[in-house]
Each structure stands twice: as C-alpha cells, then as structure tokens.
Amino acid sequence: MSNEELQALLGSLTLEEKVGQLVQLSGEFFADDAEMLTGPQEKLGIDAQMVANCGSALNVVGAERTRKVQEAYLAKSRHKIPLLFMADVVYGYKTAFPIPLGFAASWDPELVRRCYVASAAEARAAGVHVTFAPMLDVVRDARWGRCLESTGEDPWLQSTYARVMVEGFQGSEPDLAHSGIASCIKHFAGYGAVEAGREYNTVDMSERRLREMYLPPYKAAIDAGCEAVMPSFNTIDEVPATANTWLLDDVLREEWGFGGAVITDYAAIQELVPHGVAKDCDDAARLALEAGVDIDMKTACYANGLVKLVRAGEVSEELVDRACMRVLSLKNKLGLFEDPYRDVSVEAEAELFLAPEHRELARRLAGESIVMLKNDRVAPDAPAKTLPLDPASSEKIALIGPYSDTRSLVGLWAVHADVDGVVTLRQAFEEVAPGRILHAEGCPLLEDESALGTFANAAGGDGGFKTDQLAEMRAEALEVAAQADVVVMALGEHPLESGEGGSKTDLRLPRIQRELLADVREVGKPVIVVVFSGRTPVLEDVSRQCDALLEAWFPGTEGPHALADIMFGRVNPSGRTAMTFPYATGQVPIYYNAFNTGRPEKTSGHSNRFTSRYVDCPTAPLYPFGYGLSYHSCRYGAVRLSSDELEPGGSIVVSVEVENASDIAGAEIVQLYIRDVSGSVVRPVLELKGFERVYLRPRESREVSFVIDEPMLRFWRRDMTFGSEPGVFEVHIGPSSSDTGMASFELKN
Ligand code: NOJ
C-alpha cells in the first residue's frame, strides 16, 4: 500500500477502530476455535468492542492457530486490516540456540546472524510477524536474572551483536514482506541497571552514564533498521520509561530519528499507577500516548480510556492518529495487506522446525559459547590436562548431577522452544563413549523450589524431597564416582532462578549441589564440573573443588552435543566470557570498564587500608571479562603502533604478533582495548574497541592489526557534547581484559 492509501485507510476508521489498533491482547483472548473469548475480557475489564477490534496478538503462534485466528478476525473486520502477531523469539523459536549471555562469549557475530536468520524462518512459518527481540540491556549485576537475555556488560560488543541480530531477523527492509520477521528491541532503556539487581526495580544514573554505557546498543539496533521498540519497566530519572517523554520523544524519535512503532512491555501502562506517576488508568493512558507509546500490551488502559479522553478533549485525536498510523505502517511493511498469511504453513513448519541445518548451527554456536574456565594438569608434573577426555580410551566416566540427564537446557526465555527436541548430556556422552558412562543424578537442582513460581518451559515444583530420598541419591552418586576413572558433574541453577523474575541475592550454586560436589571430590577422582546457568554465578568454591570447569550457560537444543564435542576434544573451546564472573556476590555490580577511583588498590600511594578494596574479599573478579581457556595456548608479542601520534582526520595502525605456541589448532579472540588516560571527565580503565577471531594452525604466527581513528575515541564530555579530547591514550591488546600488552599514542589537536 502506498502512503496515500494508508492515510486514506486511517481516515476511514472510526475513533474506536483507531484505538483498537493500539490494543494488544494475549493468547487466552483467542480461543482455539478462533472465537474471541469473553472470560479474560471480563478479568481485564476491557470493552468488548475493543477486543474484537484489537490490532495485535501477543504470543499467539503456530501456523494452524494463527491462520484460524486471522481468518476469523478478518471475517468480522469492517476494513480487513489484518491482525499483527507478536511473540518472544529471543534466542530461537523451536530450535533453541544458547542464551544470549552464552552466545555473546562466541565473539562470532556472523554465526549469530545466521542463527537469527534461522530463528526468523522458523517463527515466520509459524505465523509470527514481530519478535520482541533482541534484548539489549547492558548488564553489570549478576543478581539480575535477566542477564540471561543480554549479550553482556560491554556496550561496544553488545552493539555489534545488536546489529547482526536485527539484520538476521529482518533481512533487508524491502524484503521484510517476503522473508524474515520484524524486530522489536527491548527494554528501552537501562533496565540492566535495576538497583540491587532486583527485578522491576528503580534505575537511577547520570545522563552521561546512560548515554555512555547503556544507550549505544539500542542506538545500534535503531541504525540497523529495527521496526519497533519496547520501553522498559523501570524508571529513568524517576519517570517510568513508558511515560518518559525525554526518553521516547526527545532521544528516540527526535535525536535518533526513529519512525517505527513503540509497544509497551506487559501491562506497563497500567503499572504507571502503582509506580505513582498516574492517578488512574485513564491518566496512565494519556501519559503513555503523549510520551509516544503506540501499542498497549495487555491492559485495558488504551482500550477503555482513549476514546473517552479524546471525546472529553483531554487527549488530542491527532496523537491517536499518529500512533495508529505507525501500527498500520508496520503491518504494511510486513506485507500483511497483500497477504495476511505471509508464508505461514504447516508444511514449512515441518520442514524448518529443528531442521538438521538449524541443529547444526545451534551445535556450532553452543560450541563457541561454552567457556572453559579452568583446566589443570592431571598431576602437577604431568604434561596432560584434565580435558579433553580421550574418546578412544576404556576409562569409565561417572556422569553425575541434576543436569546430567535432562532436556531442561533452554533457559527461561526460549518460550516456544521444542524441549522434546533437546539432547541430554547423557545421550551425547553415550554417543561418543558408548558403554563407558556411569550415571547418577546425585541431587535435585534445589531442595525447595517453592519460591520459584512456574513459567513456560521451566516449572518449579514444590521440592518436597524427603531426607532419606536425598541421602539415597547422594550415596548412589558416590558409588558411581568410586567406580569411575573420572567424574563429570553437571551442576547449575534451576532454570527459574534466572530470566524474568529470577533475581537472587546469593550467586553461588545451590547448597545441595555444592555439598554433593564436596562429597564427590572426597572420592579422589579427577573432577570436571560443567555449570548450566543464566548468569555468571559465583564459582569460587566450585572452582577450588574441581580440576576442570566449563561454563555451559543454558546451551539450547544442541548444547550437550557441543559439550561432548569439547570435552572429547573434537572442538577446541574458544568461548570468552562477555560478563565478569564475580568472586563473591558482595562484589556486584562488577565490570571491567570501571573507573580507576582516586585510590586504586594496586597503584595508590596510600597505605593499603585506605585504598579502594574490600577487607574480606579480593577486589578482582574470579574470571574477568573476555576470559576463557582453549586447548591451544598463544603467545602475544609486543603491541606496536604505526605512529605514536594521531591527527584528528587520520588513523594509526596497531599490531601484535600472535603465535599459537601449541600443537593444537584453534580460534583465538584477540581483543583491543583503549584507555583515555586523562579527560574532562574520568574515563574507564579500559574500553573494548575491537576484536578479531583468528584461527591459528599449530605453531602458526599471525600479525593481527586494528585501525585506530579519532571517532573511536569520542565520549560524552563534561559539557555533554560528544567528541574526543586531545591527549594520551593507551592501547591494550590481549586474550582478555586482564591480560594485555600496552603501547600509547597521543591524539593531537
Ligand atoms: C515481559 C517481558 O519483560 C518482555 O521481555 C516480553 O517481551 C513480554 N513480557 C512479552 O512476553
């Protein structure tokens, strides 16, 4: 449809019909027989006419279902404006890829892009038009459960992933009607900084920090052409994002030129009342519409309030028109007016869901996401390390732990994933080492799951294990460990301990699992621990009690195959964590790109008591940003600069020789960090500015180079202009943020 035709369509709608386009209802409003139900309608107190008119549906998926619902909807619709189907496809549809915090450790954006193309194809076949993804909240506090959905603590790396995720979903814009699905980024903005890591809590920070550390990934996604934006639940400068005119209007629309649709998060307009900025639902509707929110997800505020408010002259109809036009434009871009069913088909679903090539992508990405945190020698003077295991030996392997034989490996936010299609670790091990695996569960994930609630792919039970049952499980595990030559322990968080609503105050693994590990350790066999989690847990005690340690995150459908690939040496691990692993919970928020303070612990002239440190815990994390081990090891040469002066319009080249000092081929993630030594405001001790994934054959050396120019050195200066300042900069290159070589140059005036 042309713009004129869209305008004409808008002009032909009644006020009620226009408001209807701004209403989004969830699955229970759409009965399986394709009739709109009245039950939830009463519960929500929503005007009946508005239910029939509603413009979009939340998490209604499946070729058959969406087709039926669309047919029934269009049959009743006066203007035949198709219903828009929006759903959470955050890291996979039926094929679950590793959680974003996991795949962020791959440092392989091109592979991530291919996985998002695959997700989009599966979701499109199932009738999804718009996905609420990617989630682009920079995370620095592992107490917050939603670390799981984020690609970590670094704004530059997250921006890199933001672009490929949006492009992967959407393809190129003119094609959106024919391939891909539209991307709605979330949660705008700063949700990752909720105070105390507590879900839905307050966010308060300087505008400078927001712009410097939190806004860049959202901006990168806007620049990549995402079609929609979801404001976050939190406040920004004491105004909830959903009613935040500065954020949605001044920054998003005016400054960034975003012309797409803004849709609230679940019930967020109504929540303006308990937040304390709206007197009632009508007031909340007015505030949100005025701030630029186009679609109301799952409340009756717009549906019941806007017509009344417009008629009373309290809200301008132009604002309703503006919002409605954005919704119609989105439907138009998706090609819905030409074909309301797009490529929806049961046959396409059958072909695409868990297709061998999607499984292959999932396996590859999981393999690149797994981070090897520790791999000691089998004995202090022996050359061999604990990992990899020998697939050809006859040694018995005890596979113990609550994650050893479960399909519950997709994490909380793969809401539509086909969990039955997930491989278990035990299956994957049996494939590689048939007849060598001894198995025992050892203990449940948690003793008491009653506080967890339930959700989609992860149900918390009531726990309720009897003491003798637990003792029996543990005894069996110890027996199995005693019979084996090596022990693999699959431990981790309950899936409901992370994700939305999964905030925690103790980041250690559940007590019952730590106790099991301690007892198994006593048996005296080499112990390899694999951790499954939706955050970077505190692993200090776990790492002391094992010989090798792998962080597997929630690795998705093919995670166990990827783990077996790594553990039996078919794949050399290359994952490097994109979020700091704290040493203790009390350290969080902890992140590498911090400020130096006036009294840095290591270099301050003050006595060590009066430096920036703890009296009961190291200042350093257990594993820093960018860290991870491989089976190969590299030597980095000196950092060399083509010049020690950079002219504003020019560039310099920084290089380093990276040598694979082993007989094993592997991928090395060479990381480039820059430090602005002195500025009008304090600058982070390091900032990631580039990386290269280099594949090195045994003993191969390669020169890795990066170009540095002035735009890379810009920041929000003291006067809140964005630009660089002349002076000295350090360039750091190395295998992690805490292990770099350095050279420096001067940026000239
Ligand atoms: C609430 C979550 O915060 C958001 O990420 C999600 O997209 C919506 N619910 C819809 O499921």
Side-chain angles (χ1 to χ4, degrees):
M1 243 189 229
S2 67
N3 205 38
E4 291 69 40
E5 287 169 317
L6 274 185
Q7 286 292 353
L9 175 60
L10 179 70
S12 69
L13 301 181
T14 63
L15 178 59
E16 285 78 2
E17 285 167 338
K18 286 187 282 195
V19 170
Q21 289 299 314
L22 314 185
V23 176
Q24 176 162 118
L25 297 173
S26 56
E28 69 268 25
F29 280 84
F30 305 97
D32 281 338
D33 64 2
E35 290 299 322
M36 309 277 177
L37 288 181
T38 53
Q41 180 183 318
E42 272 165 23
K43 202 168 113 212
L44 204 62
I46 191 168
D47 180 275
Q49 192 51 37
M50 284 297 167
V51 176
N53 273 343
C54 88
S56 56
L58 163 66
N59 281 333
V60 174
V61 295
E64 219 178 296
R65 182 134 192 255
T66 53
R67 187 173 278 276
K68 268 192 187 168
V69 170
Q70 187 74 282
E71 272 166 8
Y73 178 87
L74 287 173
K76 288 184 198 152
S77 151
R78 193 165 73 97
H79 292 277
K80 310 291 172 220
I81 302 172
L83 189 62
L84 192 57
F85 293 104
M86 303 197 182
D88 288 286
V89 184
V90 182
Y91 48 96
Y93 183 67
K94 289 294 172 194
T95 309
F97 295 100
I99 58 168
L101 188 62
F103 74 64
S106 72
W107 301 64
D108 194 347
E110 284 317 308
L111 180 57
V112 171
R113 181 199 302 275
R114 291 173 58 199
C115 294
Y116 275 74
V117 170
S119 289
E122 289 191 12
R124 185 181 167 100
V128 177
H129 302 144
V130 181
T131 170
F132 300 117
M135 185 274 215
L136 300 173
D137 307 331
V138 166
V139 286
R140 297 168 148 198
D141 187 335
R143 290 172 297 184
W144 193 47
R146 303 195 81 166
C147 296
L148 176 155
E149 293 169 64
S150 164
T151 50
E153 75 192 38
D154 184 72
W156 189 90
L157 188 59
Q158 179 131 214
S159 300
T160 306
Y161 285 124
R163 281 186 282 274
V164 293
M165 290 189 277
V166 170
E167 289 165 4
F169 278 136
Q170 296 195 165
S172 54
E173 203 209 291
D175 293 340
L176 199 50
H178 307 290
S179 71
I181 56 177
S183 155
C184 172
I185 61 160
K186 63 191 186 186
H187 308 85
F188 189 62
Y191 190 18
V194 282
E195 282 178 4
R198 181 159 54 80
E199 186 64 296
Y200 315 125
N201 205 6
T202 306
V203 170
D204 204 356
M205 66 174 84
S206 67
E207 183 183 337
R208 186 187 319 281
R209 172 155 295 202
L210 185 71
R211 286 185 178 276
E212 206 49 73
M213 292 293 169
Y214 290 89
L215 294 190
Y218 310 112
K219 173 70 164 54
I222 303 288
D223 292 344
C226 73
E227 294 291 348
V229 171
M230 178 192 285
S232 49
F233 284 126
N234 55 275
T235 54
I236 291 285
D237 195 17
E238 294 166 29
V239 180
T242 305
N244 198 312
T245 317
W246 174 77
L247 191 67
L248 299 182
D249 226 8
D250 298 3
V251 176
L252 182 66
R253 302 265 187 215
E254 291 298 318
E255 204 180 308
W256 295 357
F258 177 67
V262 170
I263 167 165
T264 68
D265 202 345
Y266 200 98
I269 297 188
Q270 197 167 324
E271 288 169 16
L272 296 176
V273 180
H275 260 302
V277 293
K279 291 190 287 290
D280 52 30
C281 287
D282 287 353
D283 201 22
R286 182 183 57 78
L287 284 174
L289 190 73
E290 284 174 357
V293 170
D294 305 314
I295 300 178
D296 175 358
M297 184 197 285
K298 202 53 211 285
T299 84
C301 294
Y302 272 15
N304 294 357
L306 288 183
V307 172
K308 219 169 41 190
L309 289 165
V310 170
R311 299 240 155 93
E314 287 173 39
V315 161
S316 133
E317 188 164 352
E318 271 170 34
L319 292 183
V320 172
D321 287 357
R322 187 182 71 174
C324 185
M325 189 60 182
R326 290 188 191 127
V327 177
L328 296 177
S329 301
L330 178 55
K331 292 183 175 184
N332 192 36
K333 273 193 181 174
L334 287 159
L336 292 178
F337 291 108
E338 284 72 38
D339 178 7
Y341 305 101
R342 308 215 303 160
D343 295 330
V344 169
S345 91
V346 175
E347 293 73 32
E349 285 185 334
E351 193 186 313
L352 291 163
F353 291 177
L354 297 169
E357 52 285 15
H358 294 186
R359 279 190 179 273
E360 186 48 41
L361 282 170
R363 183 172 184 158
R364 239 187 95 189
L365 190 58
E368 291 188 6
S369 305
I370 291 159
V371 182
M372 187 160 75
L373 297 169
K374 176 177 178 177
N375 190 20
D376 280 356
R377 296 183 187 287
V378 281
D381 47 355
K385 301 268 183 86
T386 311
L387 283 171
L389 300 168
D390 182 357
S393 96
S394 56
E395 282 185 352
K396 294 274 186 224
I397 301 166
L399 185 57
I400 296 172
Y403 273 113
S404 56
D405 196 17
T406 172
R407 298 183 199 285
S408 187
L409 300 175
V410 300
L412 197 70
W413 221 243
V415 275
H416 305 292
D418 182 350
V419 176
D420 291 338
V422 177
V423 181
T424 80
L425 194 57
R426 187 178 180 184
Q427 278 173 348
F429 267 50
E430 285 286 359
E431 284 170 24
V432 187
R436 290 172 53 197
I437 312 302
L438 309 171
H439 173 253
E441 193 181 340
C443 69
L445 282 168
L446 284 170
E447 271 164 287
D448 179 9
E449 303 177 356
S450 54
L452 298 179
T454 56
F455 184 76
N457 273 330
D462 58 2
F465 292 95
K466 297 203 182 69
T467 320
D468 52 349
Q469 234 178 315
L470 295 176
E472 222 172 276
M473 284 169 95
R474 180 143 342 160
E476 192 197 352
L478 296 180
E479 208 176 297
V480 159
Q483 288 164 18
D485 301 288
V486 57
V487 180
V488 174
M489 299 209 56
L491 308 176
E493 297 181 313
H494 191 290
L496 282 163
E497 286 186 282
S498 59
E500 185 175 352
S503 296
K504 285 176 73 175
T505 60
D506 183 350
L507 297 177
R508 292 173 300 173
L509 295 190
R511 187 174 56 95
I512 192 163
Q513 297 186 48
R514 287 185 282 120
E515 285 173 2
L516 174 70
L517 173 61
D519 283 0
V520 168
R521 185 66 172 163
E522 290 288 297
V523 177
K525 305 292 168 69
V527 175
I528 300 157
V529 174
V530 183
V531 174
F532 296 82
S533 64
R535 52 165 61 79
T536 46
V538 165
L539 296 175
E540 190 273 325
D541 51 350
V542 172
S543 71
R544 273 190 285 110
Q545 310 232 44
C546 64
D547 304 285
L549 177 60
L550 294 168
E551 172 61 62
W553 319 103
F554 287 111
T557 309
E558 284 288 324
H561 276 147
L563 273 163
D565 288 342
I566 286 179
M567 294 170 81
F568 288 96
R570 267 181 43 168
V571 167
N572 179 359
S574 58
R576 306 289 186 257
T577 183
M579 188 174 181
T580 302
F581 281 78
Y583 186 94
T585 307
Q587 288 183 324
V588 300
I590 183 166
Y591 44 93
Y592 84 95
N593 46 358
F595 299 137
N596 208 25
T597 80
R599 297 183 177 193
E601 189 189 19
K602 289 202 180 118
T603 52
S604 171
H606 290 270
S607 77
N608 75 338
R609 175 168 183 87
F610 297 106
T611 60
S612 184
R613 66 181 189 111
Y614 299 103
V615 293
D616 64 344
C617 171
T619 316
L622 186 63
Y623 302 114
F625 176 85
Y627 172 84
L629 301 172
S630 294
Y631 294 145
H632 70 271
S633 57
C634 278
R635 264 195 291 270
Y636 282 66
V639 175
R640 286 172 285 115
L641 289 165
S642 59
S643 165
D644 56 9
E645 289 185 356
L646 173 63
E647 296 297 334
S651 62
I652 54 177
V653 177
V654 56
S655 325
V656 73
E657 191 78 16
V658 182
E659 181 199 350
N660 182 349
S662 76
D663 295 323
I664 301 157
E668 180 74 6
I669 316 291
V670 182
Q671 301 162 35
L672 167 76
Y673 299 90
I674 291 186
R675 177 175 186 183
D676 186 345
V677 177
S678 153
S680 57
V681 292
V682 296
R683 307 286 299 121
V685 288
L686 288 180
E687 285 181 288
L688 184 74
K689 293 287 179 183
F691 68 88
E692 202 174 318
R693 199 167 212 288
V694 196
Y695 184 80
L696 294 167
R697 293 191 301 275
R699 306 284 160 194
E700 184 185 351
S701 277
R702 187 91 69 85
E703 177 159 286
V704 178
S705 303
F706 301 92
V707 175
I708 298 175
D709 58 13
E710 181 274 333
M712 284 168 77
L713 310 177
R714 295 181 187 169
F715 64 100
W716 291 91
R717 296 176 291 204
R718 189 183 288 215
D719 62 0
M720 283 310 281
T721 56
F722 187 68
S724 61
E725 290 174 348
V728 176
F729 290 78
E730 293 174 0
V731 188
H732 295 249
I733 298 183
S736 88
S737 62
S738 72
D739 179 11
T740 58
M742 193 268 281
S744 51
F745 68 89
E746 190 182 342
L747 174 65
K748 305 301 270 185
N749 246 327

